[in-house]
Amino acid sequence: MANKKPSIGRQKIKIEKIPKKNHLQVTFSKRRAGLFKKASELCTLCGVEIAITVFSPANKAFSFGHPDVDSVMERFLNQNPPLNSAANRFFEAHRNANIHDLNVQLTQVLSQLEGEKMHGEALDQVRKASQSQCWWESPVEELGLQELKQVRDALEELKKEVMIQRNKILVDYSANSLPFFTVNGIGPVGNFEAKPETSSPSTITNVNNFGCGHGNGML
Amino acid sequence: MANKKPSIGRQKIKIEKIPKKNHLQVTFSKRRAGLFKKASELCTLCGVEIAITVFSPANKAFSFGHPDVDSVMERFLNQNPPLNSAANRFFEAHRNANIHDLNVQLTQVLSQLEGEKMHGEALDQVRKASQSQCWWESPVEELGLQELKQVRDALEELKKEVMIQRNKILVDYSANSLPFFTVNGIGPVGNFEAKPETSSPSTITNVNNFGCGHGNGML
DNA sequence: ACGTCTATATATAACCA
DNA sequence: TTGGTTATATATAGACG
């Protein structure tokens, strides 16, 4: 009569890649949630900082972080330089440079040149170059002031970020000796995020476009 | 006789900061191990990439990553611009710029200006500025070509890194469709690391030096 | 600090709505 | 894809060496 088997319950599984795709997806979601919960508990119980990043089977990025992913990652990366990160090398190369002043100088140089050397033809070339999506593909002779101004603007941005970064580091150090955070005790601690990865062909296109379609760098 | 109670077994605990320090340390170690194990299983079961970073109560960094922490973090940071990361903003701002060509152009501009506008006084100022450790602190009028050349060199470096990065991403994509890893079935998948945090005064000194000793940026 | 033990709290595999 | 149920596999709190 009561031989109904409403559930066989949890079964032991071997830790190896799950073959069935939909099954895998379910397992991923549940275990990801479990992992983040564990991380959250670890944060609360021990008052530590943590960051987790996972790329789903569909290449979607999920992350958990306390206080937030970025700050923990930055902290980690700063003390653990990957040695082949553009950011770090650039950062290093510029630790002795005051970007803003360089920008000022560059602007001066440019305006001087603009007044002294800009005939009519150069201007046309600049305009033409600007219209092209891959204007930097044009011969060097056609490059102009616009591009240099882009560099200047970017440097200006970088300068600001450098200052923010510096201040952050200082704050970090002074905070290290203080109690970390006030946990409210109810609900999980930390931030969850999920960002779609543009895994459509467009990303590959973007990636390719980044280098302007050239197969290999000049390294 | 056998009324011995060898263990009270696992007790329910409230998820809130553990007050007793030594107890907290034990819990941290155990739960960290558990977390990394879960992460490892998730990797194997679902064939996904993952990175975890934890700063212990003693500010020691522990991490787990598959295939490795850095590659996963870079992948995450590239698609998830922190919005306040110097590297990413700069990266973004320049996705349309060919650094090398800009450098060439900058060099041309500089040499032109050098020939046309460089009187004797300017050169002296440049030399004086170069000798100063904090040359960028001097008035703008004293800044010169040296500094701009530093920028150019740094940009050249960045360019190289950009190419490396680009190639890496491409490799990543082509690898995505292949079986991720060959699990030997014995032992967890992934890399564990623990790095000491340089909390000595020398680091603080470095940090302070970064901004050339000035208390606050001009942001 | 780490390994072991035991009893119990949790996580979760399979199924279903 | 998400959420609930059930039976079981695991994780782990507390105590000890």
Side-chain angles (χ1 to χ4, degrees), chain A residues 1-9 11:
Chain A
M1 307 151 177
N3 69 343
K4 64 177 176 183
K5 193 159 66 169
S7 172
I8 61 177
Q11 299 298 292

Side-chain angles (χ1 to χ4, degrees), chain B residues 56-97:
Chain B
S56 78
N59 279 325
K60 185 169 172 170
F62 293 87
S63 61
F64 167 86
H66 179 84
D68 62 86
V69 181
D70 291 335
S71 67
V72 178
M73 279 197 182
E74 276 184 43
R75 188 177 166 192
F76 177 75
L77 292 173
N78 284 341
Q79 76 172 63
N80 181 47
L83 297 181
N84 58 348
S85 151
N88 270 287
R89 285 219 205 161
F90 192 76
F91 200 70
E92 191 64 27
H94 285 275
R95 65 161 20 156
N96 294 320

Side-chain angles (χ1 to χ4, degrees), chain A residues 13-18 24 28 31 35 38-39 41-42 44-46 48-57 59 61 63 69-70 72-73 75-77 79-80 82 84 86-87 89-91 94-96 98 100-102 104-106 108-109 112-113 116-117 135-136 140 143 147-148 151 154-155 157-164 166 168-170 173 176 180 185 195-198 203 207-208 210-211 214-219, chain B residues 13-18 24 28 31 35 38-39 41-42 44-46 48-57 59 61 63 69-70 72-73 75-77 79-80 82 84 86-87 89-91 93-96 98 100-102 104-106 108-109 112-113 116-117 135-136 140 143 147-148 151 154 157-164 166-170 173 176 195-198 203-204 207-208 210-211 214-219:
Chain A
I13 59 167
K14 280 176 67 178
I15 303 300
E16 58 189 17
K17 180 151 185 178
I18 297 170
L24 185 151
F28 175 76
R31 278 183 174 261
L35 188 73
K38 290 278 186 193
E41 291 181 352
L42 186 59
T44 305
L45 289 169
C46 304
V48 298
E49 297 192 6
I50 189 168
I52 304 182
T53 300
V54 192
F55 285 88
S56 78
N59 280 325
S63 60
V69 181
D70 292 335
V72 178
M73 280 197 182
R75 189 178 164 191
F76 178 75
L77 292 173
Q79 76 174 61
N80 183 44
N84 58 347
R89 286 220 204 159
F90 192 75
F91 200 69
H94 284 276
R95 66 163 17 161
N96 293 320
N98 182 302
H100 178 263
D101 289 347
L102 288 174
V104 170
Q105 187 67 10
L106 180 56
Q108 289 183 339
V109 170
Q112 284 179 260
L113 187 70
E116 292 181 308
K117 197 74 191 357
W135 50 262
W136 55 87
V140 171
L143 294 174
E147 293 82 293
L148 287 167
V151 174
L155 289 172
E157 274 297 290
L158 179 62
K159 164 71 176 342
K160 290 178 183 173
E161 292 306 333
V162 161
M163 289 304 174
I164 293 171
R166 201 267 309 266
K168 226 189 226 170
I169 290 168
L170 290 174
Y173 266 96
N176 262 352
F180 265 126
K195 309 233 176 184
E197 182 175 54
T198 330
T203 298
V207 170
N208 281 335
F210 175 73
H214 281 48
N216 48 5
M218 44 184 58
L219 181 57
Chain B
I13 60 168
K14 281 176 65 180
I15 302 301
E16 58 189 16
K17 179 151 185 176
I18 296 170
L24 185 151
F28 175 75
R31 279 181 174 263
L35 187 73
K38 289 279 186 193
E41 292 181 349
L42 186 59
T44 306
L45 288 169
C46 304
V48 298
E49 297 192 5
I50 189 169
I52 303 183
T53 300
V54 192
F55 284 89
S56 78
N59 279 325
S63 61
V69 181
D70 291 335
V72 178
M73 279 197 182
R75 188 177 166 192
F76 177 75
L77 292 173
Q79 76 172 63
N80 181 47
N84 58 348
R89 285 219 205 161
F90 192 76
F91 200 70
H94 285 275
R95 65 161 20 156
N96 294 320
N98 182 299
H100 179 262
D101 288 347
L102 288 174
V104 170
Q105 186 67 10
L106 179 57
Q108 288 183 340
V109 170
Q112 284 180 259
L113 186 71
E116 291 182 308
K117 197 70 188 1
W135 49 261
W136 54 86
V140 171
L143 294 173
E147 295 81 297
L148 287 167
V151 174
E157 271 298 290
L158 180 62
K159 165 71 176 341
K160 289 178 185 173
E161 291 305 333
V162 159
M163 289 304 175
I164 293 172
R166 200 269 307 266
N167 289 335
K168 228 188 223 170
I169 293 168
L170 289 175
Y173 265 97
N176 262 351
K195 309 230 178 186
E197 183 171 54
T198 326
T203 300
I204 295 174
V207 169
N208 279 337
F210 174 74
H214 280 49
N216 48 5
M218 46 184 57
L219 180 61

Side-chain angles (χ1 to χ4, degrees), chain B residues 167-203:
Chain B
N167 289 335
K168 228 188 223 170
I169 293 168
L170 289 175
V171 169
D172 232 39
Y173 265 97
S174 53
N176 262 351
S177 49
L178 300 174
F180 264 125
F181 29 77
T182 47
V183 181
N184 48 16
I186 189 159
V189 174
N191 304 315
F192 297 82
E193 328 173 15
K195 309 230 178 186
E197 183 171 54
T198 326
S199 53
S200 62
S202 63
T203 300

